[in-house]
Amino acid sequence: MKYKKLGQTEIQASVISLGTWVMGGDMWWGSDHDDNRYINTIKHSIEHGINTIDTATAYGKGHSETIVGKAIKGQRDKLYLASKAMADELLPENAQQTVEASLKRLGTDYIDIYYIHWPSPGISVAYNMEALEALRGKKLIRYIGVSNFTKRHLDIARTAGKVDVFQPPYSLLWRNIESELLPYCIRNGIGVMTYSSLAMGLLSGKYDKDSKFEQGDIREKMVALFMDGIYDKALEAVDGIKKISEKYGVSTAQAALNWVFSQEGICTSIVGARTPEQLKENIMAADFEITCFDFDEMSKVCDELKTLVADWDTMYYKKAEAFEIIN
């Protein structure tokens, strides 16, 4: 495993972090859920050098945090834990209650990074930052993160506190942060942990135009990359990446992950796994280096898709209410 410094923090994060969204057992991922298997997967991640685990209150209404807490007993000192809560859960009047509930579920007395999960159209992010800074002062959290923010949200947040980490979606198939947000973070010393680095499974290479999703899996109904007119282009891009990955004897997913955490300004790719076997495949993405030529070729393969989704606010909404700005 390789490790990189996360912005201006003292965290040296594994270039692959374990994401636990799927472990919440909510509607996004169908019915294949097994808490014991998830706990085993988390334990395997630690054994194989992953030292950063990402969760959130919204993942199964705290269930994901509970699973993480069970899995890391006796190993807290080896790990960096990150969790998130929605803007309405992080107001001055309720933020401490929210964070203390996360602490209890995780079985720890501090959380390394606590994020504002999404901005809210009715809440100033400055209020959230003030509340989190107060909790930093009480040593309940070490660093403050923001997720799914625009540059304007970041500007406002930084008037009320120190933003240490930014968590956006970013992959070969979703590169909207490249024009403005990633350069902004590099300039201001903000660490970047990316999520959906495999584009919600598309970069696993296991989907084609005839793939059927289980009832309850709402990717094709809500996620830009699975929409008509975009999905076919995404599959074409994945085929192009596969041809490059074969030169290195690695999977499409491994090449795609390597591309993400090798980008300037990116510290770590948050990747989910249902099983220890999936986890081991993801970890192998840190075992090789892609030439500069092939690195650029992978980007070019996805340039048309990048243009197709350029006007989407997020992967989930073309125009997101959450992106309305409240000072």
Side-chain angles (χ1 to χ4, degrees):
M1 182 57 66
K2 298 174 183 175
Y3 301 86
K4 294 171 72 173
K5 190 172 187 293
L6 182 60
Q8 296 177 344
T9 74
E10 295 178 355
I11 293 174
Q12 291 284 340
S14 48
V15 294
I16 296 173
S17 298
L18 181 63
T20 63
W21 180 10
V22 67
M23 298 180 188
D26 58 23
M27 64 181 178
W28 284 87
W29 298 105
S31 60
D32 179 22
H33 297 287
D34 183 331
D35 287 358
N36 289 329
R37 187 180 70 218
Y38 293 153
I39 289 170
N40 194 30
T41 300
I42 294 169
K43 290 180 177 179
H44 271 71
S45 76
I46 300 168
E47 291 170 6
H48 286 84
I50 288 179
N51 68 356
T52 309
I53 299 175
D54 181 84
T55 184
T57 62
Y59 300 168
K61 298 179 179 178
H63 187 62
S64 172
E65 288 180 320
T66 299
I67 291 172
V68 172
K70 290 178 179 178
I72 67 169
K73 281 185 179 179
Q75 303 191 78
R76 175 66 179 95
D77 60 343
K78 299 178 182 178
L79 301 169
Y80 300 114
L81 295 180
S83 195
K84 303 177 283 293
M86 298 299 183
D88 62 353
E89 299 176 289
L90 295 174
L91 295 169
E93 62 267 27
N94 63 5
Q96 183 160 338
Q97 179 182 354
T98 297
V99 172
E100 286 179 343
S102 290
L103 291 169
K104 183 177 180 180
R105 288 189 288 265
L106 288 164
T108 183
D109 56 4
Y110 72 96
I111 295 172
D112 296 284
I113 309 165
Y114 211 89
Y115 290 91
I116 306 166
H117 200 158
W118 284 88
S120 168
I123 297 171
S124 171
V125 296
Y127 295 153
N128 297 141
M129 289 296 297
E130 290 167 4
L132 287 173
E133 283 290 3
L135 297 180
R136 192 205 304 256
K138 295 180 179 180
K139 302 189 183 305
L140 298 181
I141 63 175
R142 293 180 65 201
Y143 300 108
I144 297 172
V146 298
S147 184
N148 303 302
F149 270 36
T150 65
K151 178 180 174 295
R152 178 63 178 142
H153 285 112
L154 276 165
D155 283 337
I156 296 169
R158 294 177 66 232
T159 66
K162 179 174 172 51
V163 175
D164 301 293
V165 189
F166 179 47
Q167 185 181 136
Y170 185 56
S171 70
L172 274 161
L173 304 184
W174 191 269
R175 294 160 54 192
N176 292 12
I177 65 170
E178 290 180 346
S179 61
E180 186 174 51
L181 285 165
L182 186 55
Y184 180 98
C185 289
I186 293 171
R187 286 196 307 272
N188 292 288
I190 299 171
V192 181
M193 298 175 64
T194 67
Y195 76 86
S196 201
S197 303
L198 291 179
M200 298 189 75
L202 266 174
L203 285 162
S204 67
K206 66 181 181 181
Y207 297 114
D208 59 35
K209 63 181 180 180
D210 298 318
S211 294
K212 303 296 182 183
F213 296 92
E214 185 179 338
Q215 186 175 2
D217 186 320
I218 58 177
R219 277 174 282 189
E220 62 183 340
K221 296 179 181 178
M222 283 188 64
V223 181
L225 295 172
F226 292 82
M227 298 286 183
D228 289 343
I230 299 176
Y231 184 61
D232 286 348
K233 291 296 181 182
L235 293 176
E236 288 177 15
V238 173
D239 285 341
I241 297 163
K242 181 179 180 181
K243 292 174 183 176
I244 297 171
S245 70
E246 287 172 347
K247 293 169 58 176
Y248 295 85
V250 301
S251 70
T252 306
Q254 288 163 346
L257 288 177
N258 189 293
W259 182 92
V260 171
F261 63 66
S262 298
Q263 294 282 347
E264 181 186 3
I266 304 297
C267 173
T268 180
S269 305
I270 302 169
V271 191
R274 288 183 185 270
T275 66
E277 291 73 27
Q278 288 181 352
L279 176 78
K280 288 177 70 174
E281 181 179 348
N282 294 339
I283 288 171
M284 290 170 65
D287 291 344
F288 64 95
E289 293 186 7
I290 300 171
T291 66
C292 292
F293 175 81
D294 285 331
F295 200 82
D296 291 341
E297 285 299 302
M298 290 171 70
S299 302
K300 289 177 184 177
V301 162
C302 302
D303 279 347
E304 183 178 359
L305 185 66
K306 177 181 176 180
T307 302
L308 281 177
V309 299
D311 61 341
W312 282 67
D313 283 347
T314 77
M315 288 196 302
Y316 320 105
Y317 305 100
K318 190 156 191 175
K319 295 299 175 186
E321 284 187 11
F323 277 16
E324 296 175 15
I325 301 296
I326 300 294
N327 288 324

